[in-house]
Amino acid sequence: MTETRKEGAKIVTMANQKGGVGKTTSAVNLATALAMLGKKTLLVDSDPQGNASSAVGVPVTSPQTKHLYHCYLSPEKTPEVIRPVAAIDNLWVLPTGIDLIGVEVEMMHEKKREQFLWRVLAQVAGEYDYILVDCPPSLGLLTLNALSGAHSVIIPMQCEYFALEGLSQLVRTIKLVKKSYNSALVIEGLLLTMYDRRNKLTYQVAKEVKKHFGDKVYNTVIPRNVRLSECPSYGKPVIVYDKNSAGALSYMNLGKEFLKQQQRANAGRG
């Protein structure tokens, strides 16, 4: 069972085994929004593709560059690997590179292999308000680590029929992780992405999700927006690339909604 931490950053994993749902875009831009709202935020790129790293202008381009893979091998080195994101106060990134894919094989027979990422994040959790972890589009060992080491999970999902089938599988996985590895894990929220108000199916899928998950579904939706597609090639979150675009405004609203959610939860515990 994952140990419980009483203080330090809240760790939120962004997960969906289905690719192309806006998971990395949401991790990058929610982290940016929280930073701009005054919260010390660490973005952890746990996808070997390294898209979250490059999306904030910190790509791993050299084999000599230390990144998350090396933290798995030596957790105590984690503070040395974290890098600030230029031009965005309060935002840091723990980048990754393609070597991270080796974790799936190298840790396969290790004891408590689902807790390695937790050991990494425990080195720095006290330095931040929030840690957001971007996962690969799979339910392998990297995602298992991200779920086992988190307080909660946000599920970004596209408003299409097949997304509902994938959601059921992911929810089952979360329940298994909660039962076997991390009893404190909860679903923080479901985020509807690529929302097209002109498409009738969008409304049908949104209605179905809200029927099953109620107030766990964020009021903020992320629309289809060309700026969201453009900004990664410039190494900038959309909030920096074009702060007045529909995508940027939506993610800032999501950041505000997320923080209000935290305030209500803290008040309830108090």
Side-chain angles (χ1 to χ4, degrees):
M1 189 70 68
T2 302
E3 58 189 293
T4 301
R5 190 180 67 254
K6 295 182 179 179
E7 56 185 27
K10 178 168 186 176
I11 303 172
V12 182
T13 287
M14 195 79 67
N16 193 324
Q17 80 277 14
K18 191 175 186 300
V21 299
K23 175 182 54 58
T24 296
T25 298
S26 296
V28 167
N29 285 288
L30 177 56
T32 303
L34 294 177
M36 288 187 163
L37 291 167
K39 301 299 180 182
K40 295 184 68 176
T41 305
L42 173 64
L43 173 64
V44 178
D45 190 351
S46 190
D47 183 345
Q49 297 177 88
N51 291 337
S53 303
S54 59
V56 293
V58 189
V60 174
T61 55
S62 166
Q64 286 72 46
T65 302
K66 301 297 183 184
H67 56 82
L68 182 57
Y69 171 75
H70 303 95
C71 297
Y72 266 88
L73 301 180
S74 303
E76 70 279 1
K77 300 287 184 64
T78 302
E80 303 169 21
V81 179
I82 291 171
R83 296 167 65 181
V85 175
I88 305 176
D89 292 339
N90 296 316
L91 183 60
W92 290 261
V93 63
L94 178 46
T96 201
I98 195 64
D99 293 346
L100 185 66
I101 202 167
V103 166
E104 298 270 3
V105 176
E106 294 175 35
M107 304 292 183
M108 188 177 296
H109 301 295
E110 294 285 341
K111 292 182 179 179
K112 296 185 177 180
R113 61 187 181 277
E114 77 284 349
Q115 292 190 19
F116 274 81
L117 183 59
W118 157 245
R119 294 171 193 168
V120 170
L121 300 183
Q123 304 295 317
V124 296
E127 302 298 318
Y128 303 96
D129 297 310
Y130 294 100
I131 297 176
L132 268 62
V133 184
D134 183 38
C135 293
S138 70
L139 294 177
L141 185 58
L142 291 171
T143 298
L144 176 60
N145 264 267
L147 293 173
S148 297
H151 294 99
S152 63
V153 55
I154 292 176
I155 305 171
M157 61 172 291
Q158 194 174 351
C159 292
E160 61 174 30
Y161 174 74
F162 289 117
L164 293 173
E165 292 185 345
L167 178 60
S168 299
Q169 182 182 0
L170 179 56
V171 169
R172 286 195 295 271
T173 299
I174 291 170
K175 288 180 178 178
L176 287 172
V177 171
K178 184 179 178 71
K179 180 179 179 181
S180 301
Y181 304 118
N182 182 5
S183 61
L185 183 66
V186 298
I187 294 177
E188 186 79 37
L190 283 85
L191 176 64
L192 300 178
T193 64
M194 303 178 192
Y195 197 90
D196 186 350
R197 299 183 188 279
R198 300 166 298 178
N199 190 330
K200 186 176 179 181
L201 180 61
T202 293
Y203 287 97
Q204 292 174 339
V205 172
K207 182 179 179 181
E208 191 69 20
V209 173
K210 289 176 181 176
K211 175 182 174 183
H212 290 284
F213 292 92
D215 61 4
K216 287 287 187 182
V217 183
Y218 288 109
N219 293 321
T220 303
V221 298
I222 309 302
R224 290 189 178 276
N225 180 241
V226 67
R227 291 293 187 261
L228 287 172
S229 301
E230 292 174 354
C231 61
S233 63
Y234 291 87
K236 296 179 181 178
V238 72
I239 297 172
V240 176
Y241 178 67
D242 186 350
K243 66 179 181 180
N244 295 316
S245 66
L249 294 173
S250 294
Y251 277 113
M252 282 304 297
N253 286 336
L254 176 64
K256 293 172 184 176
E257 183 177 355
F258 175 88
L259 290 179
K260 286 181 180 178
Q261 184 185 54
Q262 306 310 307
Q263 290 172 355
R264 288 195 297 269
N266 291 335
R269 285 194 290 269

